[in-house]
Amino acid sequence: MMKRIAVFPGSFDPITKGHEDLILLGTALFDEVIVALGTNTTKNYMFSVEQRLQWITQVFQSVPSIRVVSYSGLTVDFCKNENAQFILRGIRNTIDMEYEKSIAQMNKTIAPEIETVLLFATPSCAAVNSTTVRELIKNKADVSAFLPQGVNVYL
């Protein structure tokens, strides 16, 4: 039987409890979840790739079915290189739904063998997003309620 591998792509700038929740949910569905730190050429990052990889690795260090890597290029190409049959993504609201649907449809056209699986965010995590967390960090707010245990952000 083929190993069921899913890629959970993102910029994780920083990783949030919402990301953590969805990735852990994915471990119940897949044999392996690859948390893939991607580079989005349209984004300006607050934290370095090295710092983000360190946080993600730390959060999932005790979960053997999770692997953390960085990549560049198209997510579907990365999936093919990793023999991943699935892209795992999260939905918080209707705006996410429309965005993820359009990306999933493009990916399906480019790589029909790769399925996108959308999971709904746990209600307690639905309002959490990295953009808001970064804004709170810039304004010196305590963001610990939105970050996985052990992730400490200091500017």
Side-chain angles (χ1 to χ4, degrees), residues 78-143:
F78 176 75
C79 289
K80 290 175 187 177
N81 290 337
E82 296 293 327
N83 295 314
Q85 311 93 326
F86 304 95
I87 297 172
L88 180 61
R89 298 292 294 161
I91 302 292
R92 293 172 298 209
N93 52 43
T94 56
I95 295 167
D96 282 355
M97 185 66 193
E98 288 303 314
Y99 174 77
E100 294 297 343
K101 182 176 83 172
S102 67
I103 298 297
Q105 289 170 333
M106 281 191 226
N107 285 338
K108 193 67 171 170
T109 300
I110 296 168
E113 70 278 14
I114 298 171
E115 281 299 327
T116 298
V117 175
L118 303 174
L119 295 179
F120 290 96
T122 301
S124 63
C125 295
V128 180
N129 67 70
S130 293
T131 302
T132 303
V133 170
R134 283 193 306 275
E135 190 62 29
L136 292 170
I137 292 167
K138 287 177 189 173
N139 287 286
K140 310 282 190 242
D142 178 4
V143 294

Side-chain angles (χ1 to χ4, degrees), residues 47-62:
F47 300 101
S48 70
V49 169
E50 296 77 20
Q51 178 63 78
R52 290 179 279 151
L53 281 172
Q54 180 184 353
W55 283 329
I56 300 164
T57 301
Q58 176 185 330
V59 169
F60 300 112
Q61 66 186 349
S62 64

Side-chain angles (χ1 to χ4, degrees), residues 10-13 40-45 130-131 134:
S11 57
F12 309 103
D13 188 36
N40 183 331
T41 57
T42 64
K43 286 189 177 183
N44 293 318
Y45 296 106
S130 293
T131 302
R134 283 193 306 275

Side-chain angles (χ1 to χ4, degrees), residues 60-73:
F60 300 112
Q61 66 186 349
S62 64
V63 187
S65 62
I66 295 175
R67 185 161 49 100
V68 179
V69 297
S70 64
Y71 77 103
S72 59

